[in-house]
Amino acid sequence: MWLLERKLRAILEVEGLKPVDSIGSQFDPYQHEAVAHIPSDQPEGTVIAEHQKAYRLHEKLIRPALVTVSSGSEGKEKN
């Protein structure tokens, strides 16, 4: 099964399928679907975890990433 998966991935890459890295980038609703917002040391709106990878076929996004987004530091949350 592992060899089949590797072969399929190689064929798809040759055809133009590429994964999109999301961690550390700004949240973009056209590329990401937020599944959680949690306080962190990262600036507000930064993707801090990726639950499902996004993929592009040439320049078209065919699957958005499922991500967790920073809501800023915990100090801001407590007012």
Side-chain angles (χ1 to χ4, degrees), residues 34-45:
V35 294
H37 286 84
I38 61 171
S40 75
D41 296 336
Q42 298 292 325
E44 184 175 355

Side-chain angles (χ1 to χ4, degrees), residues 22 25-34 37 45 47 54 56 61 63-67 69:
S22 298
S25 65
Q26 268 306 106
F27 177 77
D28 178 2
Y30 295 106
Q31 294 186 23
H32 306 116
E33 286 186 30
H37 286 84
V47 175
R56 286 188 180 280
L61 186 71
R63 182 173 83 177
L66 299 179
V67 298
V69 180

